[in-house]
């Protein structure tokens, strides 16, 4: 009985102690008695809002000194960067692989000592040394962007900027991973003066006799006729012919010779910034049918037309390498319309009539090259000589082989064509000039008066008088005393 009473007292005493402890225990710091631990007890101990950016190369390290002793270090991704603590206030960061991560450092009280935003890129010190050695005049900065490399800063000319990009492409292994943000300090302007000269010589000779008539031998009658096609030229040069008749035989002699010379001269001048392309065309465009567009409701069709360019064309891209030297990629073209290999389209307009359309062909001479030349130097694209000879003889089989008399039964058509094209290119490094230093083609031109135009046939006024000198100037002996002006016929 006494033991049961003692056990009961012990249980009551323990319950009273637990009740008193629950009532008298103060709340936890920062928490009210009725606060929810899942919301108000959360506090952001560290963040990267004030983190310092630290670039690292693969296999490279950096040393960070801190103001207080280090207690704890947190690395977000140890596969990208590693943190080593060898002393109480010094932290070693080592780059492992390309990527980004962050590191937080805490002291003994759990407060944040530092936040580091780490970007591990390629080791670019070798590229920086190579750029500084090969391009001492350029101020190029190199930065890593993951697997890529960004080049910034300034270069003297476009050639230096391109050389820096090429060096970076060799290091990265892929030129597409190089971001070029280099600014060229001096963008030189290059004027290209081009002279295109061409001579074409044509010689055509035709000789043939057309025979027509009939021969009677007893009761047999032989009718014959021969016509010379002149297939090499596509037809006779002229309809003029000498006609002679002997008994019942009519002979028509066709003899013609043609010689022609065609001269083409163009001197285009065009200016472009170093590294940029420029295009010039002196010629025109001609339409050719490209197809038909039909309306299914009205059943009407329209011809769609495309335009093809022809004339003297020029396309060049200059790059100023060093002072006075220019790398030039130039392409020049001379084209003209020709009836050779022309295409003829025939369409039936009605049951008894047709309509034909002839599309001419284009004869083209083109030259393209890349050279390095000093400013003011000239380069000639010469030796583009072409010669073609075409000869055709038509006649009556057997009879055309007869000596002397065989000439009556055959025709000869001979064509010889020669052409030579020369292109002279001269680049100049130029600068802008004042408006007063420029001239126009109509400078000094003035329309003549009606009496001078009608009676004397003048097309412009004569603004110089023979033998007269300007005030303050003396005319040298033997000076020209004729009429001069802008346009004289």
């Amino acid at each position: 009985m006494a033991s049961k009473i003692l056990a009961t007292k012990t249980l009551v005493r323990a319950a009273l102690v637990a009740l008193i402890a629950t009532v008298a225990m103060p709340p936890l710091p920062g928490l009210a008695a009725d606060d929810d631990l899942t919301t108000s007890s959360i506090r952001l101990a560290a963040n990267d809002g004030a983190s310092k950016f630290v670039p690292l190369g693969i296999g490279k390290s950096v040393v960070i000194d801190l103001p207080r002793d280090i207690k704890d270090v947190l690395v977000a991704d140890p596969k990208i960067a590693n943190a080593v603590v060898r002393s109480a206030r010094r932290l070693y960061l080592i780059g492992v692989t390309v990527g980004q991560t962050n590191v937080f450092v805490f002291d003994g009280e759990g407060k944040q000592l530092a936040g580091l935003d780490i970007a591990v890129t390629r080791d670019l010190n070798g590229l920086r040394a190579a750029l500084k050695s090969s391009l001492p005049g350029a101020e190029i900065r190199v930065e890593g962007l993951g697997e890529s490399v960004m080049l910034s800063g300034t270069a003297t000319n476009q050639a230096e900027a391109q050389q820096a990009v090429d060096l970076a492409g060799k290091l990265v292994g892929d030129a597409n991973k190089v971001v070029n943000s280099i600014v060229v300090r001096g963008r030189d302007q290059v004027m290209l003066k081009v002279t295109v000269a061409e001579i074409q010589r044509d010689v055509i000779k035709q000789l043939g006799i057309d025979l027509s008539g009939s021969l009677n031998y007893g009761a047999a009658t032989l009718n014959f006729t021969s016509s010379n096609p002149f297939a090499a030229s596509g037809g006779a040069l002229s309809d003029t012919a000498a006609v002679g008749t002997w008994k019942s035989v009519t002979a028509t002699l066709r003899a013609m010779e043609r010689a022609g010379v065609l001269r083409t001269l163009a001197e285009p001048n065009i200016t472009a910034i170093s590294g940029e392309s420029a295009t010039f065309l002196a010629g025109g465009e001609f339409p050719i049918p490209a197809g038909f567009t039909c309306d299914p409701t009205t059943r009407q069709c329209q011809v769609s037309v495309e335009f093809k360019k022809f004339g003297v064309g020029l396309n060049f891209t200059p790059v100023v390498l060093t002072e006075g030297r220019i790398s030039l990629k130039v392409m020049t073209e001379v084209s003209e319309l020709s009836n050779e290999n022309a295409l003829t389209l025939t369409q039936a307009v009605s049951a008894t009539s047709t309509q034909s359309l002839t599309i001419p062909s284009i004869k083209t001479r083109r030259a393209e090259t890349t050279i390095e030349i000093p400013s003011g130097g000239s380069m000639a694209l010469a030796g583009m000589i072409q010669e073609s000879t075409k000869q055709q003889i038509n006649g009556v089989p057997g009879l055309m082989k007869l000596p002397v008399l065989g000439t009556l039964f055959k025709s000869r058509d001979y064509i010889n064509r020669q052409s030579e094209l020369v292109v002279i290119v001269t680049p100049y490094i130029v600068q802008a000039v004042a408006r007063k230093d420029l001239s126009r083609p109509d400078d000094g031109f003035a329309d003549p008066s009606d009496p001078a135009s009608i009676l004397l046939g003048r097309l412009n006024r004569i603004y110089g008088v023979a033998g007269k000198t300007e005030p303050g100037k003396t005319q040298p002996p033997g000076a020209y005393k004729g009429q001069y002006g802008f346009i004289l016929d």
Side-chain angles (χ1 to χ4, degrees):
M1 187 65 181
S3 59
K4 292 181 178 180
I5 295 172
L6 182 58
T8 302
K9 290 181 179 180
T10 302
L11 293 173
V12 171
R13 188 180 299 110
L16 291 174
V17 171
L19 179 61
I20 293 171
T22 303
V23 175
M25 184 178 63
L28 293 175
L31 294 177
D34 55 352
D35 282 346
D36 187 1
L37 294 177
T38 61
T39 57
S40 60
S41 62
I42 299 176
R43 181 173 61 87
L44 189 62
N47 61 79
D48 57 354
S51 296
K52 184 178 180 180
F53 177 73
V54 179
L56 272 179
I58 299 177
K60 299 293 183 177
S61 62
V62 66
V63 181
I64 305 296
D65 289 332
L66 300 171
R68 297 193 299 274
D69 293 345
I70 302 172
K71 179 63 177 180
D72 192 14
V73 178
L74 173 63
V75 181
D77 191 352
K79 296 180 180 180
I80 296 177
N82 192 12
V84 179
V85 179
R86 293 295 180 88
S87 61
R89 297 188 178 184
R90 177 162 291 181
L91 179 67
Y92 300 88
L93 299 177
I94 303 172
V96 180
T97 184
V98 176
Q100 291 185 345
T101 185
N102 57 354
V103 176
F104 292 107
V105 183
F106 301 94
D107 59 5
E109 299 179 358
K111 296 181 179 179
Q112 178 182 349
L113 282 177
L116 305 174
D117 190 4
I118 300 175
V120 181
T121 60
R122 299 175 180 269
D123 185 16
L124 303 176
N125 290 332
L127 177 59
R128 294 187 181 98
L131 291 177
K132 187 175 181 180
S133 176
S134 59
L135 304 174
E139 299 178 359
I140 300 176
R141 297 185 296 272
V142 183
E143 298 179 5
L145 295 174
E147 294 287 344
S148 302
V149 175
M150 184 179 71
L151 304 180
S152 59
T154 59
T156 305
N157 49 54
Q158 185 67 28
E160 289 188 353
Q162 186 61 39
Q163 184 178 355
V165 173
D166 294 340
L167 286 175
K170 294 294 183 181
L171 175 67
V172 177
D174 187 0
N176 296 326
K177 294 183 178 180
V178 179
V179 181
N180 184 10
S181 299
I182 302 175
V183 178
V184 179
R185 288 195 295 265
R187 300 297 299 273
D188 294 320
Q189 296 185 97
V190 178
M191 183 189 72
L192 190 67
K193 183 177 181 180
V194 180
T195 299
V196 180
E198 183 182 19
I199 290 293
Q200 297 184 22
R201 304 177 183 90
D202 294 340
V203 176
I204 302 176
K205 298 178 181 180
Q206 292 181 346
L207 177 62
I209 298 177
D210 298 339
L211 297 177
S212 63
S214 61
L215 296 177
N216 298 324
Y217 184 77
T221 301
L222 175 63
N223 297 321
F224 62 90
T225 179
S226 64
S227 178
N228 297 306
F230 296 115
S233 302
L237 296 179
S238 176
D239 295 334
T240 304
V243 181
T245 303
W246 179 72
K247 294 185 178 181
S248 60
V249 179
T250 302
T252 303
L253 174 64
R254 296 184 182 273
M256 185 64 65
E257 181 175 348
R258 176 185 294 176
V261 176
L262 175 62
R263 174 178 180 246
T264 302
L265 178 63
E267 294 184 333
N269 296 338
I270 191 170
T271 304
I273 298 177
S274 175
E276 302 294 335
S277 299
T279 303
F280 172 85
L281 175 65
E285 298 180 353
F286 71 97
I288 60 173
F292 295 90
T293 303
C294 300
D295 190 354
T297 58
T298 60
R299 296 184 179 181
Q300 293 182 354
C301 299
Q302 295 181 351
V303 181
S304 59
V305 177
E306 291 183 356
F307 289 88
K308 297 295 182 179
K309 298 180 180 179
F310 68 94
V312 179
L314 171 66
N315 186 357
F316 82 105
T317 303
V319 176
V320 179
L321 301 178
T322 56
E323 186 66 28
R325 298 201 63 83
I326 302 171
S327 175
L328 188 66
K329 181 178 181 181
V330 58
M331 190 278 290
T332 182
E333 177 181 306
V334 180
S335 58
E336 61 181 346
L337 300 181
S338 175
N339 291 327
E340 297 181 6
N341 302 322
L343 178 62
T344 302
L345 302 178
T346 304
Q347 181 182 7
V349 180
S350 63
T352 58
S353 63
T354 59
Q355 183 179 4
S356 61
L357 174 63
T358 301
I359 302 175
S361 62
I362 299 180
K363 296 175 60 177
T364 304
R365 283 80 68 200
R366 183 183 297 110
E368 183 175 0
T369 184
T370 301
I371 59 172
E372 182 178 337
I373 191 171
S375 177
S378 296
M379 180 270 299
L381 302 177
M384 291 179 283
I385 302 174
Q386 181 181 3
E387 181 176 359
S388 62
T389 301
K390 185 186 298 184
Q391 185 172 201
Q392 189 166 353
I393 297 178
N394 300 293
V396 180
L399 297 179
M400 62 180 294
K401 300 295 184 179
L402 296 175
V404 182
L405 294 179
T407 307
L408 301 175
F409 303 96
K410 66 182 178 181
S411 66
R412 176 176 179 258
D413 194 6
Y414 172 80
I415 299 176
N416 179 262
R417 290 176 177 171
Q418 300 175 349
S419 65
E420 182 178 359
L421 176 65
V422 175
V423 181
I424 301 176
V425 179
T426 306
Y428 297 93
I429 298 178
V430 297
Q431 297 178 354
V433 298
R435 178 66 181 87
K436 61 182 181 61
D437 296 332
L438 301 177
S439 60
R440 304 182 326 201
D442 60 341
D443 286 346
F445 177 81
D447 292 328
S449 61
D450 290 342
S453 178
I454 296 174
L455 300 178
L456 302 179
R458 293 177 179 173
L459 299 178
N460 64 289
R461 293 181 183 271
I462 302 300
Y463 52 86
V465 179
K468 182 179 180 180
T469 59
E470 298 181 4
K473 295 183 179 180
T474 59
Q475 187 174 3
Y480 178 70
K481 297 182 179 181
Q483 298 178 347
Y484 62 91
F486 185 78
I487 299 177
L488 289 176
D489 290 340

